[in-house]
């Protein structure tokens, strides 16, 4: 006898299958939507976490979820097309996907004109007390006039008469084309303050009292402290760039006769980081390369120049470009010049004393350095000098005499192992000078010389500020490395905050041992 229940089920089988399929689709759609919204929530949490917005959303998520989100979405290399400044809504849409600018967004303060544009417009006043006109050097976005007749010493279209003190102008103009700018400061990993501190300083160094010298610095500190961006980390995510050495902004007294301004001793400024051509011994100052005269517009120009330096014949064992400094008691320049002259055909001297040779012309400097195996780099008016980077461009191995000239300075751009790219002859006291440079350098084996030169040539892309005319390719220049360095520095402060530590500890402390000799050995 047939079961009535079974018979009914079999009779309505098509309707039953259709019902099951409909229920299955509803459940599938529900779980798919739940997964999508959960995934989106994680990515948005990463944005908050990476950009310092320690929100309630982050704290309410499980600890393992926060860690997973930080690992799963990380910054990727530079995109081919620069990301111009876009509004926050567009960036939040990008944030739901893998964002190549994640952790790299920079917000640029729109400062009043007195802090930058007015200084450039009044360029004839930038060097009061001297007969030098800075206006021509501000051409080509701060690179200066293009060198039209390089005499086969340089490459066409890549070399400019660049003033070594225009770093802040060059950096600001390059920042304008940075691929990860944002108008939404809540997304920014760092805040750039385009104050031309060096240009402001040069207007008032001679013949002005400290009230005038400090005026712009005090006004800037007040302006920044009133902005909402300041209160997020009280300025510890802010940075500025200066075209003079950091010591010029650290006047330690209010005596009228003391040099410089007290910008870096202002309470607000202590919370910021400063990048400059030479750092001080304070932890919130960082050195980045002097601007040289080589500004390639594409990678191929860099590679071409590197190949030329590898094939370059070098007829001199060593060379020195500079002038004596008899006014400085501990200067070794006079002894270096004496030994160079005594070495006859082994050394080439480019005398830059009182206009004897136009040492501002890169053709003259590069002609000497290209033909030399070693380039002597003693301290000058301060620890550092642009000549270090000129020698690197020429594939000439720098010979250094003090750790403050490079080793304690350019930590983002030069190898930590200084023996890979330079020769070190420490001179702690002139009374201990028992060095014959000619004999000392001749003792270095040929295979080590070849290795040193190759390492120096490899450094060339890292120490030039490339032109933005044709955009960026794949090689990172001095600007790229500086931006990476400061982003990493600021992120380390955020990590301290997330761990409940006081971010002020060590941030602006002085390192009294930064320029001491012991960590750097006893010689070659």
């Amino acid at each position: 006898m047939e079961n009535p229940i079974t018979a009914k089920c079999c009779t309505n089988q098509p309707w039953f299958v259709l019902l099951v399929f409909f229920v299955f689709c509803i459940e599938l759609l529900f779980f798919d939507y739940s997964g999508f919204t959960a995934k989106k929530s994680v990515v948005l949490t990463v944005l908050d976490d990476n950009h310092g917005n320690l929100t309630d959303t982050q704290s309410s998520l499980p600890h393992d979820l926060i860690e997973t989100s930080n690992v799963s979405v990380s910054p990727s290399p530079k995109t081919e097309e620069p990301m111009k400044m876009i509004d926050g809504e567009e960036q939040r849409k990008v944030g739901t996907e893998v964002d190549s600018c994640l952790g790299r967004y920079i917000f640029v303060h729109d400062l009043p004109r007195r802090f930058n544009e007015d200084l450039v417009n009044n360029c004839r006043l930038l060097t009061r007390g001297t007969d030098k006109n800075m206006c021509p050097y501000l051409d080509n976005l701060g690179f200066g006039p293009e060198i039209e007749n390089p005499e086969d010493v340089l490459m066409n279209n890549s070399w400019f008469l660049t003033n070594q003190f225009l770093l802040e102008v060059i950096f600001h103009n390059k920042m304008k084309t940075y691929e990860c700018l944002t108008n939404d400061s809540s997304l920014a990993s760092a805040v750039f303050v385009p104050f031309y501190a060096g240009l402001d300083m040069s207007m008032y160094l001679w013949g002005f009292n400290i009230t005038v010298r400090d005026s712009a610095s005090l006004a800037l500190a007040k302006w920044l402290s009133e902005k909402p961006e300041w209160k997020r980390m009280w300025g510890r995510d802010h940075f500025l760039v200066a075209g003079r050495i950091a010591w010029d902004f650290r006047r330690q007294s209010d005596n009228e006769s003391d040099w410089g301004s007290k910008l870096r001793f202002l309470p607000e400024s202590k919370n910021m980081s400063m990048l400059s051509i030479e750092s001080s011994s304070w932890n919130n100052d960082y050195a980045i390369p002097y601007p040289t005269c080589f500004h390639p517009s594409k990678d191929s120009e860099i590679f071409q120049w590197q190949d030329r330096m590898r094939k370059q014949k070098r007829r001199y064992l060593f060379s020195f470009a500079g002038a004596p400094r008899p006014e400085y008691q501990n200067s070794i320049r006079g002894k270096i010049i004496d030994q160079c002259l005594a070495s006859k055909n082994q050394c080439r001297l480019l005398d830059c004393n009182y206009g004897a040779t136009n040492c501002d012309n890169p053709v003259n400097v590069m002609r000497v350095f290209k033909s030399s195996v070693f380039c002597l780099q003693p301290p000058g008016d301060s620890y550092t000098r642009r000549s270090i980077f000129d020698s690197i461009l020429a594939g000439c191995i720098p010979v250094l005499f003090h750790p403050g000239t490079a080793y304690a300075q350019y930590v983002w751009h030069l190898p930590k192992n200084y023996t890979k790219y330079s020769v070190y002859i420490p001179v702690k006291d002139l009374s201990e000078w028992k060095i014959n440079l000619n004999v000392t350098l001749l003792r270095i084996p040929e295979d080590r010389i070849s290795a040193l030169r190759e390492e120096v040539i490899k450094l060339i892309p890292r120490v030039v500020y490339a032109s933005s005319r044709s955009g960026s390719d794949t090689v990172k220049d001095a600007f790229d490395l500086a931006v990476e360095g400061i982003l990493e520095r600021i992120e380390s402060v955020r990590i301290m905050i997330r761990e409940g530590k006081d971010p002020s500890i060590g941030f602006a402390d002085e390192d009294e041992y930064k320029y001491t000799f012991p960590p750097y050995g006893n010689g070659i």
Side-chain angles (χ1 to χ4, degrees), residues 12-26:
N12 298 319
Q13 185 174 5
W15 293 103
F16 177 78
V17 172
L18 186 60
L19 177 63
V20 171
F21 178 77
F22 179 78
V23 172
F24 174 78
C25 289
I26 291 295

Side-chain angles (χ1 to χ4, degrees), residues 110-122:
D110 185 15
L111 298 182
R113 293 172 57 93
R114 68 166 295 193
F115 296 116
N116 41 50
E117 290 183 33
D118 286 351
L119 294 168
V120 171
N121 293 336
N122 293 317

Side-chain angles (χ1 to χ4, degrees), residues 161-367:
L161 290 174
T162 303
N163 187 282
Q164 65 177 358
F165 296 120
L166 287 182
L167 174 62
E168 56 212 22
V169 178
I170 293 171
F171 197 98
H172 186 199
N173 283 321
K174 286 183 68 65
M175 181 61 76
K176 291 175 182 177
T177 62
Y178 176 62
E179 63 202 355
C180 296
L181 293 180
T182 177
N183 280 327
D184 185 350
S185 62
S186 68
L187 294 178
S189 292
V191 178
F192 177 50
V193 182
F195 172 40
Y196 296 170
L199 297 189
D200 176 74
M201 168 83 67
S202 67
M203 293 185 71
Y204 306 115
L205 272 177
W206 296 275
F208 291 86
N209 60 37
I210 59 173
T211 301
V212 175
R213 279 185 267 159
D214 295 337
S215 174
S217 299
L218 290 167
L220 176 74
K222 182 178 185 298
W223 189 92
L224 289 172
S225 65
E226 294 173 350
K227 294 297 175 182
E229 291 79 17
W230 184 263
K231 297 176 177 61
R232 289 174 55 199
M233 293 178 65
W234 302 108
R236 292 188 180 90
D237 56 351
H238 286 49
F239 73 100
L240 67 158
V241 177
R244 300 184 66 93
I245 66 174
W247 302 99
D248 287 348
F249 309 99
R250 289 190 176 275
R251 192 188 70 244
Q252 300 191 41
S253 80
D254 284 337
N255 295 330
E256 296 288 346
S257 59
D258 282 359
W259 180 264
S261 78
K262 64 177 183 181
L263 167 66
R264 297 298 284 144
F265 285 130
L266 299 178
E268 295 85 358
S269 184
K270 286 181 180 180
N271 283 6
M272 294 190 289
S273 298
M274 185 172 79
L275 317 183
S276 60
I277 55 178
E278 177 179 323
S279 67
S280 69
S281 56
W282 276 264
N283 291 338
N284 56 345
D285 287 341
Y286 292 86
I288 61 178
Y290 281 74
T292 64
C293 295
F294 183 39
H295 305 290
S297 61
K298 47 185 177 290
D299 291 352
S300 60
E301 293 178 359
I302 297 177
F303 302 149
Q304 182 182 351
W305 180 256
Q306 287 177 305
D307 288 341
R308 285 182 61 174
M309 294 306 99
R310 289 187 178 97
K311 299 172 183 176
Q312 179 70 35
K313 293 182 179 180
R314 302 177 187 270
R315 55 180 296 193
Y316 301 106
L317 177 64
F318 62 105
S319 63
F320 173 65
R325 290 287 189 269
E327 65 272 25
Y328 297 123
Q329 184 178 359
N330 293 321
S331 176
I332 62 172
R333 288 188 170 207
K335 292 184 178 292
I336 284 177
I337 291 173
D338 291 343
Q339 289 203 16
C340 183
L341 294 173
S343 297
K344 297 182 180 179
N345 295 332
Q346 293 279 17
C347 180
R348 175 72 187 275
L349 175 65
L350 185 62
D351 186 0
C352 301
N353 194 28
Y354 302 113
T357 305
N358 182 7
C359 290
D360 289 334
N361 187 339
V363 174
N364 297 332
V365 175
M366 296 304 292
R367 181 183 287 114

Side-chain angles (χ1 to χ4, degrees), residues 401-421:
F401 302 87
H402 194 286
T405 304
Y407 306 150
Q409 297 284 348
Y410 308 100
V411 296
W412 298 332
H413 296 79
L414 299 180
K416 184 176 182 180
N417 181 0
Y418 61 89
T419 62
K420 292 179 63 178
Y421 71 94

Side-chain angles (χ1 to χ4, degrees), residues 114-133:
R114 68 166 295 193
F115 296 116
N116 41 50
E117 290 183 33
D118 286 351
L119 294 168
V120 171
N121 293 336
N122 293 317
C123 56
R124 293 188 179 278
L125 303 177
L126 292 177
T127 49
R128 285 171 167 161
T130 72
D131 59 356
K132 198 163 191 175
N133 180 9

Side-chain angles (χ1 to χ4, degrees), residues 18-59:
L18 186 60
L19 177 63
V20 171
F21 178 77
F22 179 78
V23 172
F24 174 78
C25 289
I26 291 295
E27 290 180 345
L28 184 63
L29 182 61
F30 173 78
F31 283 112
D32 184 66
Y33 178 78
S34 300
F36 171 76
T37 54
K39 184 177 180 180
K40 181 176 180 179
S41 175
V42 171
V43 177
L44 290 177
T45 301
V46 179
L47 281 174
D48 286 339
D49 188 46
N50 273 276
H51 296 283
N53 298 329
L54 306 180
T55 62
D56 292 336
T57 302
Q58 177 185 333
S59 60

